[in-house]
C-alpha cells in the first residue's frame, strides 16, 4: 500500500483509537487534538506534564480502561516525556 504517513483515511481499525495527549503548550495540544479527532481517534485524556500523564494512566489502568496511543512531548516541566514513558511502561 502506497500511503502517506498523514493519509489516515486508508487506515482500517475496528474501533477508534483511544489517545492521551501530553503537551505543556496549550496551542500545540489543541492542534494535536483537532488532528487526531479528524482522523477518527478518541482523545481520552489530556495532560500538561509527564507527572500528570503517569497519574492519568494509573487511574485509567485501575479502572480497566486502555490507552492505545500516547502522543507525548519530550521537554516539559515537572516530569519530562522520557521519564514519564519509562514510568508508564512499568505500569503496563
Amino acid at each position: 500500500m502506497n500511503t502517506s504517513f498523514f493519509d489516515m483515511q486508508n487506515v482500517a481499525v475496528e474501533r477508534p483509537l483511544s489517545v492521551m495527549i501530553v503537551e505543556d503548550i496549550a496551542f500545540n495540544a489543541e492542534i494535536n487534538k483537532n488532528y487526531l479527532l479528524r482522523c477518527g481517534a478518541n482523545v481520552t485524556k489530556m495532560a500538561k506534564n509527564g507527572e500528570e500523564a503517569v497519574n492519568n494512566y494509573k487511574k485509567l489502568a485501575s479502572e480497566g480502561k486502555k490507552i492505545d496511543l500516547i502522543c507525548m512531548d519530550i521537554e516539559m516541566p515537572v516530569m519530562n516525556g522520557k521519564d514519564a514513558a519509562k514510568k508508564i511502561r512499568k505500569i503496563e
Side-chain angles (χ1 to χ4, degrees), residues 27-67:
F27 180 76
N28 293 347
E30 196 62 30
I31 288 172
N32 287 328
K33 179 182 174 183
N34 288 334
Y35 179 76
L36 289 164
L37 290 172
R38 279 197 332 258
C39 292
N42 178 18
V43 178
T44 307
K45 284 285 183 185
M46 304 271 289
K48 295 178 183 173
N49 60 62
E51 182 178 71
E52 205 175 296
V54 172
N55 291 336
N56 285 343
Y57 192 87
K58 281 181 186 175
K59 184 175 186 307
L60 290 169
S62 72
E63 296 170 354
K65 296 178 182 172
K66 183 180 176 185
I67 296 288

Side-chain angles (χ1 to χ4, degrees), residues 18-23 29 32-33 35-36 45 47 53 67-74 76:
S18 175
V19 181
M20 177 167 41
I21 297 171
V22 187
E23 172 62 63
N32 287 328
K33 179 182 174 183
Y35 179 76
L36 289 164
K45 284 285 183 185
I67 296 288
D68 298 308
L69 175 69
I70 300 174
C71 294
M72 185 158 20
D73 190 4
I74 297 297
M76 295 179 290

